[in-house]
Amino acid sequence: MWLVSEVLCYLQKRLDARRLRLNVPLAPYTTFKIGGPADLFFEAYRRDELATAVLAARELGIPYFVLGLGANILVGDRGFRGLVIRNAARAYRLLDGHRLWAESGAIVYPDLIEVAVNAGLSGLEHYVGIPSTVGGALWQNLHFLSPPPERARTMFIAEVLAEAEVLTAENMRQTVGPEYFCFGYDYSILHERDDIVLAATFQLAPGDPARMREIMEANLAWRRERHPPLETEPSAGSIFKKIDGIGAGRLIDQCGLKGTRIGDAEVSPKHANIIVNRGRATATQVRALIAYVQHVVETRTGYRLEPEIRFVGEFDPLPDVEALAQWVHAKAST
C-alpha cells in the first residue's frame, strides 16, 4: 500500500511542485461535471512533462490516469486513488507539406480546426463541435458523418493521421504510423495498451475556406438539433456502444425511456443515448440509470447495451437492478 506523503515527496522532486496538488475535485474537469477528488493532481503543460509524470507514476507503481477535456468518462463519487495527470500540453504549429503538428493536449475544436481552416487546409473541419483533445481523438478514432447533403459515410480522424509520437507501455518514446493504432469504429489499440500519445502530425490537403466554413456550420447545426448542449446540460456524450443496423439510441427510444430520471441524472429527451446532469447528479445516480436502461432494453428487446464511456476511479455499490426497476416505476407513477 502506497502512502500519499511518500509519493508526494518523490513527485515533487520529479515534477514542477507548483502544479502538483492534493485532493483536487475532478468534477470541474469533466464534461459531465461529476466526480470526486483525486489524491494527487498534476497539470502537464508540455509533452515532456506529460511523459515524465507518466514515467514517475509507473516507477512508483501507483495508479494514474491521463485526463484531457474529460469527455466520454464518468468519474466515481469517491474519486481517484492515485495520480491524475491533466494533459494541458497544447502546442501546435503548421509544417511544410500541408501538415499540422500538435501536442496531445491540443484541443481539436476550436483550436486546431480554426488554424487549419484559416490556412486553407482541409481534413479536420468535419469534427467541429466535438469536445476532444488530440490524444482523445486518437484514443477513440474521432469520427463524424461526411458533408451534406449526401452524408454518405463516416469520416475518421485516422484518415488524416500521418504519424504520432507515443510513450509506449514499455517506457519507450517512439514515432509510429497510423497502422500502429489498429483503428476501428470508436476504437484504437490504446484501449488495449498502456501507451500515451504525446503528439501527432496530421496530413491535410489544400481546400476552400468558404466551403470548409459551410461544412462546419452544417455540422454544428446537425449537432444542435440532435444533441443536448454541453454548456447547459452536461453529459459525457453517447453512453452506449453502437449496435450495427439498429442503434443503441433507437432501442432506448423505442422502450420509451427518454426523460427517465434517477436523481439529477436523466436520459436526454433530445437524444436517447445521452444521459444529462440536471444539476447535482452523482456518479452513483448515473450508473444506476445506466443499469436501469440496460435492464429495460434487454428485457423488452433482447439486446444487451454495452457502455461506451470509461469508468474512472472508485464508485459506490449499486442497488439490485430489480429493486431499482421497482423504484423507478413507483417514482414514475407518483
Side-chain angles (χ1 to χ4, degrees), residues 82-235:
L83 173 65
V84 170
I85 306 164
R86 184 167 183 251
N87 186 2
R90 295 176 179 169
Y92 55 83
R93 60 178 178 269
L94 292 168
L95 305 176
D96 293 338
H98 313 307
R99 293 178 299 156
L100 174 61
W101 174 91
E103 290 184 308
S104 59
I107 299 170
V108 175
Y109 176 76
D111 297 4
L112 297 190
I113 290 177
E114 285 295 335
V115 74
V117 171
N118 288 337
L121 297 177
S122 175
L124 294 178
E125 65 274 10
H126 311 287
Y127 313 110
V128 66
I130 305 174
S132 180
T133 61
V134 168
L138 299 191
W139 165 274
Q140 201 71 357
N141 195 10
L142 190 67
H143 54 82
F144 197 74
L145 296 173
S146 58
E150 295 85 1
R151 297 286 192 200
R153 69 178 184 91
T154 301
M155 306 188 73
F156 297 91
I157 199 79
E159 298 176 46
V160 293
L161 178 66
E163 61 184 27
E165 180 187 358
V166 299
L167 174 67
T168 70
E170 296 77 29
N171 297 333
M172 300 290 293
R173 287 179 70 159
Q174 61 186 63
T175 299
V176 299
E179 67 284 350
Y180 179 86
F181 292 93
C182 301
F183 286 117
Y185 192 98
D186 283 334
Y187 175 83
S188 75
I189 197 63
L190 302 176
H191 290 218
E192 313 294 334
R193 285 180 53 83
D194 194 19
D195 296 342
I196 305 297
V197 176
L198 301 177
T201 301
F202 299 102
Q203 181 63 64
L204 306 178
D208 176 13
R211 173 55 181 158
M212 287 185 271
R213 295 285 177 192
E214 290 176 3
I215 293 172
M216 291 166 64
E217 183 49 44
N219 287 359
L220 286 171
W222 190 97
R223 291 183 63 83
R224 284 193 296 267
E225 181 182 345
R226 293 166 175 81
H227 289 237
L230 277 177
E231 298 79 14
T232 55
E233 301 179 53
S235 75

Side-chain angles (χ1 to χ4, degrees), residues 7 66 71 74-75 86 93 96 103 114 126 136 158 161 167 180-181 193 250 268 273-275 286 305 320:
V7 169
V66 176
L74 176 64
V75 177
R86 184 167 183 251
R93 60 178 178 269
D96 293 338
E103 290 184 308
E114 285 295 335
H126 311 287
L161 178 66
L167 174 67
Y180 179 86
F181 292 93
R193 285 180 53 83
R250 190 178 306 168
S268 171
N273 197 17
I274 292 178
I275 291 175
V286 172
L305 299 177
D320 175 78

Side-chain angles (χ1 to χ4, degrees), residues 24-27 30 32-39 65 73-81 84 281-287 309-317:
V24 175
L26 296 176
T30 74
F32 230 151
K33 304 306 177 188
I34 295 172
D39 287 344
F65 179 73
I73 65 171
L74 176 64
V75 177
D77 297 318
R78 296 184 180 182
F80 188 82
R81 305 285 75 77
V84 170
T282 65
T284 298
Q285 291 170 352
V286 172
R287 289 182 71 226
I309 62 172
R310 297 176 69 187
F311 298 92
V312 178
E314 295 187 347
F315 294 82
D316 292 317

